Amino acid sequence: MKNERKHDLLEQFPLLKSMAAKNTVLWENTNWVKQPETSLFTMQEVKEAEETLQRFSSYLKVAFPELEESNGLIESDILEIPAMKSALENKYGVLIEGQLLLKSDHALPISGSIKARGGIYEVLKHAERLALANGKLQVTDDYERLASAEFQSFFQQYTIAVGSTGNLGLSIGIIGKKLGFNVVVHMSSDAKEWKKALLREKGATVVEYEADYSVAVEQGRQEAELDPMCHFIDDENSKDLFAGYAVAALRLKGQLENMNIPVSVTHPLFVYLPCGVGGGPGGVAYGLREIFGEHVHIFFAEPVASPCMTLGLMTGLHDAISVEDIELDNKTEADGLAVGRASKFVGKVMETYISGCYTVTDEELFTSLGLAIDSEKLFLEPSAHAGMFGAIRLSQKGQHYLAQRGLTKHMAQATHLVWATGGSMVPDSMRATYLAKSRDLV
Ligand SMILES: *Cc1c(COP(=O)(O)O)cnc(C)c1O
């Protein structure tokens, strides 16, 4: 980006100075509307995703015995975390009005992160398409058949490729190899060693890059284009991924009803989603806004070094601006969020859907990691802790937002839902390293 252009942007968006200095910010989206619409995506695609996942439930139950209990459904619980709420209030000297809940996607079956929604769905949908097109399957069949040796060798002819900071690769690798596909994962420099090792153990090919996520994705895309038998899972543009993530919203509605938690004018729901390239949080946000309308307030959380979605939405430039353009280095311990350039597709959809974005420091992430273990015996990977700061940022910097939406007087009945995006697969030695780091801070 040219220097003059940068200068103009800094003039136009004063918050950029703060972001460039790696200060934490809360950005309010002035394009938010009560009833958002988009021409880029429909709820029909979400319903189809839900139905596809349902068809695969009998297969999933056989392929992954841990899904026996949920009848083949990949879903996570909502947990109350009152001790964490007190710990955060004490540590940061704020009052969090309302209830603090955790959406425990860190414990999602199969791959232990939010990627078990979108990533697994896209692989299943692709497998189904191939099997149907080759006359090996009908939608009325019991999909348990897909676990047979016959299908394994059928899928072996095909390759699935993906570019990832870690967790998407892990999800695609696990489900892809289970079905019998060849899997190639292009891993950015941020990707953790244990994720690469686990993937290789499962039989996936891991290609490592010294560069960041965008480069890993681009290389993967180019390689895959040369191979007609290869399907590239495009984290920056995929509507299938987006649809798989959005299914969470349909399920969340039922979960909140079961817990007798209303979502209304007087009972606002705040949802805080850690954001990398945008697909995961975007899909969930889309679904939630379609379901709960103006009563759900969604904020994306990003590291101070990697606020790509904040930048893209604020400037309206989407993927035409990167964090490097404001001299940020995209270096963070929150590996799942180390993305310098946001998805244009997701940014475009989100323009009128989300309430805003905020940023967090790595120090805050590790502080929260320690507090969660001490208060709730809860381990989440650093990225997932970004969501813990939503209610805090709102109480620190959100007065204007709350007043403008007429929410101030309803905050005692508010629900704050922290989307815990990953963690249960992190090995013990890595947990110990993270914990030691947090001990130095807390
Ligand atoms: C991938 C990931 C996210 C963000 O999802 P995007 O689709 O990249 O925005 C958040 N947290 C964790 C732990 C992740 O792995």
Side-chain angles (χ1 to χ4, degrees), residues 290-415:
E290 291 290 328
I291 291 168
F292 296 115
E294 65 191 284
H295 307 310
V296 61
H297 305 269
I298 295 168
F299 290 87
F300 286 1
E302 299 184 293
V304 289
S306 313
C308 63
M309 189 57 81
T310 313
L311 266 186
L313 283 170
M314 180 195 294
T315 61
L317 291 172
H318 301 300
D319 65 344
I321 188 167
S322 84
V323 301
E324 283 87 10
D325 288 326
I326 59 165
E327 324 299 336
L328 291 170
D329 61 8
N330 193 25
K331 291 259 183 299
T332 170
E333 278 292 328
D335 46 315
L337 312 181
V339 178
R341 201 181 285 278
S343 159
K344 181 181 183 179
F345 159 60
V346 176
K348 280 266 176 210
V349 176
M350 288 296 107
E351 273 175 354
T352 54
Y353 280 74
I354 65 166
S355 297
C357 299
Y358 62 89
T359 57
V360 295
T361 63
D362 278 17
E363 183 176 326
E364 286 176 322
L365 296 177
F366 280 98
T367 302
S368 177
L369 190 145
L371 293 176
I373 287 173
D374 293 344
S375 64
E376 304 276 356
K377 296 191 169 51
L378 170 73
F379 176 83
L380 309 177
E381 62 185 271
S383 296
H385 281 279
M388 292 286 187
F389 291 84
I392 296 173
R393 281 296 173 272
L394 270 186
S395 71
Q396 291 167 330
K397 306 179 205 265
Q399 270 66 34
H400 177 264
Y401 178 85
L402 297 177
Q404 202 189 29
R405 301 281 153 87
L407 294 168
T408 314
K409 59 180 178 295
H410 301 305
M411 289 309 285
Q413 295 95 253
T415 301

Side-chain angles (χ1 to χ4, degrees), residues 54 80 92 105-106 109 118 124 148 164 212 238 321 362 420 428:
Q54 194 58 51
E80 292 178 23
Y92 292 100
D105 273 9
H106 65 289
L124 295 177
S148 66
S164 171
D212 77 359
S238 169
I321 188 167
D362 278 17
D428 288 343

